[in-house]
Structure formats: C-alpha cells, structure tokens
Amino acid sequence: MRKHEILEVGYLSKVRVYEISKQLNISSKELIKKLKEFGVDVHSHMSTLEDDEAQLILDYYSSEVQESENNQVKEETIDEEISRTAKHENFEKKMNDSSKKTKVKDKMMKDEEVKQDTIEQSDEIKVIQIPNKVSVQTLAEKLGKTPAEIIKSLMMRGIMASINQEVDFDTASQVAEEYGILLEEETQETLEEKMFEEEPDSPEDLLERPPVVVVMGHVDHGKTSLLDAIRKSNVTAKEAGGITQHIGASTVEVNGKKITFLDTPGHEAFTAMRMRGAQVTDIAILVVAADDGVMPQTIEAINHAKAANIQIIVAINKIDKPGANPDRVKQELADYGLLAEEWGGDTICVPVSAVTKTNLDTLLEMVLLVAEMAELKANPNKRARGTIIEAQLDKGRGPVATVLVQSGTLKVGDPIVAGSTHGRIRAMMDDKGRRVKKAGPSTPVEILGLSEVPSAGDRFYVAESDKQARHYAEILAERNREQSLRATPNKVSLDDLFSQIQSGNVKQLNIVVKADVQGSVEAVKQSLERLSNDEVRIHTIHGGVGAITESDVMLASASNAIIIGFNVRPEAGAKSVAETEKVDIRLYRVIYNAIEDIEAAMKGMLDPEFQEKVIGHAEIRQTFKVSGVGTIGGAYVQDGKLVRNAKVRIVRNGIVVYEGQLSSLKRFKDDVKEVNAGYECGLSFEKFNDIKEGDIVEAFIMEEIPRA
C-alpha cells in the first residue's frame, strides 16, 4: 500500500506527533524537523497538532510520494542517456588521463613541501611531557639527542650522572631549554584510564542499542510489582520483609524491540544502590503511588535522575485503589520541577496499575518513544566494558557477578578486570538463567570465572590477555589494601556500648559486615556509618559476601569490632571461636532492624527481651515430593535436637534461604515431638518446598533474658 493512499485525517481533532510519524512510517525526529520548517511550534514527540496542522503535513507527504514516483521515471530516462554518452567519452578520457596524472603529481609535491615547512615552523618550540623523575637514557630519547650530549650538559651544571641515573623534573627542564624544548610534567592518569583508554567510535560503527531503564521511587510504592507485571514474574514474594534489597536486571521485548530494566530498592538505606542504578541508565521510570504521593525517597530518586541527566517518565501506580488521586501526585511533582505534559510541561505521566495491569502497554510505548528520540547507539564490534550491577559468592559456582555491558560485546573466554578482581569468563547466563555465549550493549548477564567477588558499582574491562588482567588487578588490590589500613581502638560489645561511650572508653565503634550479596554489604555499611555522632564514630573495617568465617571473627577480635550478619549465618567453627574470643555477632534479615539496634545501643536503650538459642542442626540428605503435601526432606540430626514447635531456618552455602516453622516432624510414619542427635527424621516446612540435598536445618527457640 502506498503512503498517499492512507493519508486521510478528516476525523482528527487533536493528534500527537508520534501518532502521525507512525502513520507516515517516519521517525518522530524527522517529522518534528519538517513541522518546524512549516512554522509549526512543537517541542517533542508528545506535542499535539491541530486538525489543519496535521492535514497540512499529511498533504505534503502525499504530494511528495507522487513527486518521487514521477522523478523515478525521469531518472531512469536520464540514466539511459548518460550510459550512451559515457561510451563515446571513454576514449577521450583515456587520452587526457596521462597529462592529468602529471599535473596531480606536481601539485602533491608542492603540497608536501608546504606541509613540511609548516611542521618545521611549528616545531621551533617543542613541548614534551615527562614524568616527575626521568632517567638520562629516557630524557635523551625524548629530546632526540644522544645520551652523551645529555651527560655533557649535566656535567656543565655540576651534576655527575650515568646513563641509567634518574634526574628530577627541574634539572631535566634546564637541559631541555638549551635545545629550545619546553618540558611539561605528565598528569598522572588513574590506572584504569591508562589501562583501558577508549578510542572514540566512528559514526558508521555505532549501531542502535536497547534502552536501559531504571525503576525508582519510594519504598512500597510498587516498583517491583510493576516490573513483575511487565516481566510476568513474581519477585516480591522472594524478598525479606516484602522490600527489595538487591538490584535486579532483566530484559523484556516490546513490539520486537528490547528494553533492559533495573529494579532498585526504595528504602533509605539503599541510597548508593539507587545512585548506581541511575548512573548506568538512559531512562528513569519514577513510580509514585497514587494514594500516597511524593515521599522522601521519591525526591531523592528525582535528584539522582537529574544529576545523571537522564529522562524521567512518571508511572502513577495504584490507580485501582479507592484513595487514588493522580492529580494530587502531578501537583506535588510540579513542585519538584516535573510538570506533566497535559499541564503544559514536558514530563510524561502515565497512570498505571500493577495489580490490574492497566496502561502497561502505554508505559512501555512511551519508553520506546523516548529511546527513539534519544537515538541510543553503541559500538558492538570491540572489547566490552560496562558496570558490575551486583555480585555474590556462590559456594557451588564461586564468585558470581551480574554485569551490564555498556559498549562492545562480552564473550565467553574473555579475560576481564573488575576493580581489584580479574579472571576469564567461564560461563554467562542471561536474566532467564539460559546460557549465552556473547552479550552485546545494554545486555545484563551473570558471569562466572572471577578470582573473587568484585564490588558492586565497579567498572569492568576486557583485557588483552590473562597476564595483563592479573597484573592490573594485583596493582589495584595493593592500592586498596593501603587505603584500608585503619587504627584499632578498645574492645566493645553492643550491649555495653552506651556505658562505654559514657565513660569515654569508646570513641569509635568498629563493625565487620557480612551479607549475601555485595550491594547489601554496601547498603548496610553506609546506613550504619550514617549513625555516627559527636560521641562515637561508627567505622566499618571490613565488608564481605558469604557466611561469617573464623577469619572474620579473628579480625573482629583483633580490631575489637562487632560482626553484623545480613541474610547470612556463622560457620560452626566461627561460632565457637566467637564465644572464646568474646566477639559479639548480630544477625539480621531486614536492614532496618540492624539500624534500629545500633541506634538504640548508642542511646543506651538496647534491651532485647528475647535472645535466640540454637537447639540443634540437621542435614537434608534426601527429598521426596508428595502430592497434596509438598516436598518432604529426609534429614539426619547432627547435633542437639529438633523440636516440633521450634522455629527453623534453612541455610544453603552459608546463606539463609528460609526462616519459619516446621509443619511436620516424623520418625518413620509417626508424628513425634522431638528427634535427638544421631537419628533420622522426616521434615516439612510451612509455605516452603524448595529444599535441596545438603541444606542445613537450624532449629532455634527464643529465650527471654533478664537484664541486670
């Protein structure tokens, strides 16, 4: 079907620019340019056109189509005429070529002479960069002189130097002046810049890439639920306390085009993670609850997005709720510089509902339109570089990192450097858990093969070889070690913290943080350090991923620190060492509980009524699926005992995967109240079936402890 056959808009009253561009099958950018030529004032693809304006542009393109068809016929006739003429002219051209070549050769020689003269003029005063200290040999090479000449010049100044001896910058400058050369001191590049200096890409190498979209907003405003609805998954249920505590990365396909989504936590403790999310993205979807309005983390998210200079699309969520008031939200957003389009601004606001899946298509369409206007491009045909989104230690697979490729293509087998870690990529998984061999720009993947867990937010680069990657990683690790050396004050526990602060014994509270993923380590560290006041400074001496080990306890003992475990458990040996060394270990699953405890301890109000007492451990050795019941674990009680009314947690590779109640405890076919060490039993858990062989079941009770 031809364009002019569908260009009828008699029915239109007001229509948006992007709708016209879609009808004409041209880009919004091209249409905006043409409208401005006609004197029609439009700002973006969301601007509206009157009926006569829309008809004007449609008529123009309709006549253009007709004209191009006529021109095509003319061009064909002209082409035939040209080919006939060319045959006659070919002989004459050959005759003239030899004289032309001679003339061109003469001209090139003259140009070369002029160029050479220019170079000589510009080189009268040379400027050369050298480091703060330089050997005589290197200086001679830089100045284009022999070492003997440089040594002679130094001797004239009373300096006896051999060829390998170093001279300082001032001395080298004096020598260089003799030869009419100026020296400048080299600016010290960061190691990363030196290592992976990126060459600018030529426009023809740049290809379109998917937009990277971050979902931001206040806690409990429905960010993850909105993403679940888009991805048709269920992530919320897996998060402790119903709040997101990790950055998730996933890819969805809309109208044949891909969009990469990052989900960030909304709780105030995760400021660094949100900032990191904003820095690696192109578009921010700001989720605001229609029944709640603009909240502190909403304002913070706006500031992060503006600081990173990324386009903001507002998703007004929960419009299905009775108390929803989208207009109030728009009013509040206007106070922070986000004026909705329907109110004359340029901020796209889309009312949505994650529960009823209302307007999700519209939201995704807006994302694609903004991406189209931004013309997002990257060069896939070079060594990859990008950002570490999240990282953790998996006991079965080793260090695992979720990375976002920003340019180039990451392949299996590539040697990479990420901060002070290095390695060769053994395997890559996409967001659906499928193995992939390569990942292009704007693609999130999970990689295996690193030497240790990198820090979330680190840049990663593909090196030339394993040797180069290892070399740079070692230098960076050494630099980080030097920076982390800290003084160690007196011993302290959380219970008597306040009394020690009062007596003046404690000026600094040292903390060792262990968590299940790197992003949580960072969040916990920052949240706790923010509690520092005039009397006491909270300082994190170590943060790491994985179970609490003996070495963590020994570090805490030597530094007189307390250990904060977030979603992890201490190893059996670590627990006994902690008791011997009198090291205080505090374990949490929700971040605000940790913040509240430290804050209460600092104020002298820490008075927990109950204390957890572990009564036994069992190992899952076999699993059975029973219809109507779920999964039953065949377990062997290793120590202590399992009691039917006790609370339990399942620990997998040092990380807590479940905490709750036993739903049944059996010996053979009989229900029993308890099972002692050395016996086997059958276990099932309330609302949890994902048990695996090798899981450790830890039974505990809460005991009331009187305070003195």
Side-chain angles (χ1 to χ4, degrees):
M1 191 183 283
R2 300 190 192 277
K3 282 183 186 175
H4 65 277
E5 291 174 353
I6 59 164
L7 307 181
E8 294 179 15
V9 286
Y11 63 89
L12 295 171
S13 55
K14 277 194 177 183
V15 64
R16 293 194 188 270
V17 169
Y18 80 88
E19 291 172 337
I20 298 275
S21 70
K22 199 184 281 183
Q23 194 176 358
L24 291 169
N25 200 24
I26 60 172
S27 71
S28 300
K29 214 161 195 172
E30 190 184 329
L31 185 59
I32 291 166
K33 192 178 175 184
K34 188 57 69 180
L35 284 163
K36 284 182 177 175
E37 286 176 17
F38 287 140
V40 180
D41 188 28
V42 286
H43 301 290
S44 73
H45 58 283
M46 293 300 291
S47 301
T48 53
L49 300 175
E50 298 293 335
D51 183 32
D52 56 340
E53 293 170 339
Q55 196 62 56
L56 173 72
I57 197 72
L58 289 172
D59 289 346
Y60 168 78
Y61 275 97
S62 178
S63 61
E64 197 181 55
V65 168
Q66 192 64 51
E67 198 179 313
S68 68
E69 285 174 1
N70 296 337
N71 287 344
Q72 199 175 343
V73 175
K74 284 179 188 173
E75 280 172 17
E76 283 170 6
T77 313
I78 292 163
D79 286 345
E80 284 173 18
E81 191 65 37
I82 287 167
S83 63
R84 276 200 303 274
T85 312
K87 286 175 183 174
H88 294 293
E89 289 178 353
N90 201 28
F91 179 73
E92 289 177 32
K93 189 182 174 189
K94 281 180 180 176
M95 292 296 289
N96 293 332
D97 269 357
S98 59
S99 61
K100 278 182 182 176
K101 278 178 185 173
T102 312
K103 286 177 184 175
V104 168
K105 198 172 180 181
D106 291 345
K107 191 177 182 302
M108 283 173 72
M109 284 177 75
K110 281 179 184 174
D111 289 350
E112 194 64 29
E113 284 170 14
V114 171
K115 194 177 173 184
Q116 196 63 37
D117 290 344
T118 312
I119 291 165
E120 281 172 12
Q121 286 171 14
S122 65
D123 281 355
E124 282 176 8
I125 298 177
K126 265 188 177 177
V127 179
I128 294 171
Q129 289 192 335
I130 64 163
N132 188 260
K133 285 194 173 183
V134 63
S135 70
V136 171
Q137 173 87 40
T138 308
L139 183 61
E141 287 169 6
K142 292 266 187 184
L143 300 178
K145 306 294 175 187
T146 64
E149 287 177 279
I150 304 298
I151 291 167
K152 188 180 173 183
S153 182
L154 288 167
M155 283 171 73
M156 297 292 285
R157 287 172 170 75
I159 300 167
M160 301 299 290
S162 67
I163 193 167
N164 295 319
Q165 200 168 320
E166 285 188 338
V167 292
D168 59 27
F169 179 77
D170 293 335
T171 308
S173 299
Q174 291 170 15
V175 173
E177 278 173 20
E178 286 182 22
Y179 304 105
I181 298 169
L182 285 177
L183 293 185
E184 281 184 0
E185 197 170 344
E186 277 181 359
T187 52
Q188 289 295 313
E189 290 181 298
T190 66
L191 192 61
E192 291 90 337
E193 286 171 354
K194 204 170 171 183
M195 214 172 119
F196 305 108
E197 194 175 349
E198 195 170 21
E199 291 179 12
D201 297 309
S202 58
E204 58 268 19
D205 292 335
L206 296 173
L207 300 176
E208 194 179 337
R209 64 171 178 83
V212 181
V213 181
V214 65
V215 182
M216 306 172 88
H218 194 72
V219 65
D220 205 31
H221 274 202
K223 296 178 295 297
T224 309
S225 302
L226 187 66
L227 265 180
D228 289 347
I230 292 169
R231 293 183 304 207
K232 300 181 180 68
S233 63
N234 185 12
V235 179
T236 319
K238 298 174 190 173
E239 295 284 2
I243 64 164
T244 302
Q245 314 200 68
H246 309 139
I247 276 191
S250 55
T251 304
V252 298
E253 198 163 309
V254 183
N255 302 334
K257 292 186 176 181
K258 287 184 175 178
I259 304 173
T260 297
F261 281 100
L262 295 184
D263 182 19
T264 64
H267 188 259
E268 62 176 351
F270 297 93
T271 303
M273 290 172 80
R274 278 194 301 280
M275 188 167 68
R276 188 164 68 244
Q279 284 168 347
V280 297
T281 51
D282 310 301
I283 301 166
I285 293 179
L286 182 67
V287 179
V288 188
D291 61 337
D292 206 3
V294 174
M295 300 299 278
Q297 270 69 62
T298 316
I299 301 161
E300 188 200 85
I302 293 169
N303 294 336
H304 283 323
K306 284 182 174 176
N309 198 26
I310 57 176
Q311 182 74 38
I312 299 173
I313 298 172
V314 178
I316 303 171
N317 195 20
K318 304 187 182 183
I319 57 166
D320 57 300
K321 282 199 163 185
N325 188 352
D327 286 338
R328 181 171 70 91
V329 172
K330 288 175 189 175
Q331 181 59 59
E332 288 176 356
L333 287 167
D335 297 339
Y336 294 97
L338 298 179
L339 190 63
E341 278 186 329
E342 47 269 44
W343 290 8
D346 54 5
T347 302
I348 300 166
C349 293
V350 185
V352 296
S353 169
V355 175
T356 61
K357 297 183 173 52
T358 309
N359 285 346
L360 294 186
D361 293 344
T362 310
L363 181 66
L364 293 171
E365 197 173 327
M366 292 299 114
V367 169
L368 289 174
L369 273 166
V370 170
E372 184 194 309
M373 294 298 291
E375 291 186 335
L376 303 169
K377 291 182 176 180
N379 180 4
N381 302 315
K382 63 177 187 179
R383 289 207 297 264
R385 60 178 57 209
T387 304
I388 306 286
I389 300 296
E390 192 57 274
Q392 65 188 82
L393 185 68
D394 188 299
K395 215 165 186 175
R397 300 185 296 168
V400 178
T402 303
V403 304
L404 179 71
V405 181
Q406 288 171 290
S407 65
T409 299
L410 191 64
K411 305 181 193 75
V412 173
D414 279 349
I416 73 162
V417 182
S420 58
T421 67
H422 70 279
R424 183 178 281 275
I425 296 175
R426 290 204 316 269
M428 284 198 298
M429 276 72 71
D430 64 9
D431 57 303
K432 311 281 188 310
R434 297 174 302 210
R435 287 206 169 213
V436 290
K437 291 197 174 172
K438 58 183 183 180
S442 301
T443 308
V445 282
E446 201 174 60
I447 60 169
L448 306 181
L450 291 170
S451 56
E452 54 190 87
V453 179
S455 296
D458 277 351
R459 297 272 296 157
F460 79 81
Y461 309 89
V462 171
E464 288 177 11
S465 63
D466 288 341
K467 191 178 176 182
Q468 190 200 44
R470 193 182 306 109
H471 172 66
Y472 284 118
E474 283 169 0
I475 295 169
L476 285 164
E478 185 59 38
R479 187 184 71 184
N480 294 346
R481 252 193 310 274
E482 286 169 9
Q483 289 173 354
S484 66
L485 290 172
R486 299 282 189 274
T488 55
N490 296 327
K491 268 197 178 181
V492 67
S493 78
L494 207 57
D495 293 326
D496 61 359
L497 175 63
F498 183 68
S499 59
Q500 292 205 31
I501 294 168
Q502 293 293 86
S503 62
N505 292 338
V506 176
K507 297 292 179 194
Q508 180 171 293
L509 173 63
N510 281 350
I511 292 175
V512 172
V513 177
K514 293 301 290 282
D516 54 341
V517 296
Q518 190 67 43
S520 296
V521 174
E522 193 181 330
V524 174
K525 277 166 65 174
Q526 291 198 348
S527 307
L528 297 179
E529 285 176 0
R530 215 179 292 134
L531 298 174
S532 299
N533 55 31
D534 297 337
E535 280 107 21
V536 63
R537 187 170 77 88
I538 294 175
H539 174 61
T540 310
I541 60 165
H542 174 64
V545 174
I548 297 164
T549 61
E550 287 183 37
S551 61
D552 295 324
V553 175
M554 294 312 294
L555 174 64
S557 175
S559 329
N560 305 315
I562 64 167
I563 299 174
I564 302 287
F566 186 67
N567 261 353
V568 294
R569 302 292 301 165
E571 292 177 352
K575 214 166 188 179
S576 57
V577 174
E579 286 169 9
T580 311
E581 296 288 329
K582 303 283 188 291
V583 171
D584 194 8
I585 299 178
R586 300 276 166 153
L587 305 168
Y588 303 95
R589 290 211 70 200
V590 178
I591 195 163
Y592 18 79
N593 296 345
I595 298 165
E596 284 166 6
D597 272 12
I598 300 283
E599 204 167 20
M602 288 170 70
K603 292 175 182 173
M605 296 183 298
L606 186 67
D607 191 24
E609 294 178 11
F610 294 90
Q611 182 175 295
E612 180 187 297
K613 184 186 176 185
V614 176
I615 58 171
H617 292 91
E619 183 188 1
I620 304 287
R621 294 191 170 177
Q622 212 168 345
T623 59
F624 311 92
K625 285 194 169 74
V626 179
S627 58
V629 177
T631 308
I632 292 172
Y636 175 79
V637 183
Q638 296 172 317
D639 58 70
K641 60 183 179 181
L642 295 192
V643 183
R644 195 195 297 173
N645 61 356
K647 286 188 174 181
V648 291
R649 63 171 66 87
I650 296 175
V651 183
R652 188 175 298 155
N653 301 332
I655 292 170
V656 180
V657 293
Y658 169 79
E659 192 169 304
Q661 296 276 354
L662 280 175
S663 61
S664 71
L665 178 66
K666 291 180 182 268
R667 280 272 299 152
F668 302 105
K669 290 184 179 179
D670 303 323
D671 285 315
V672 290
K673 285 184 179 179
E674 62 180 54
V675 179
N676 289 312
Y679 289 95
E680 292 176 341
C681 58
L683 307 169
S684 64
F685 306 90
E686 283 186 7
K687 298 177 183 174
F688 187 77
N689 287 315
D690 185 26
I691 51 177
K692 293 191 170 84
E693 289 178 22
D695 285 354
I696 302 295
V697 180
E698 188 174 78
F700 61 97
I701 55 171
M702 304 305 286
E703 279 188 344
E704 190 171 351
I705 49 162
R707 289 280 190 198

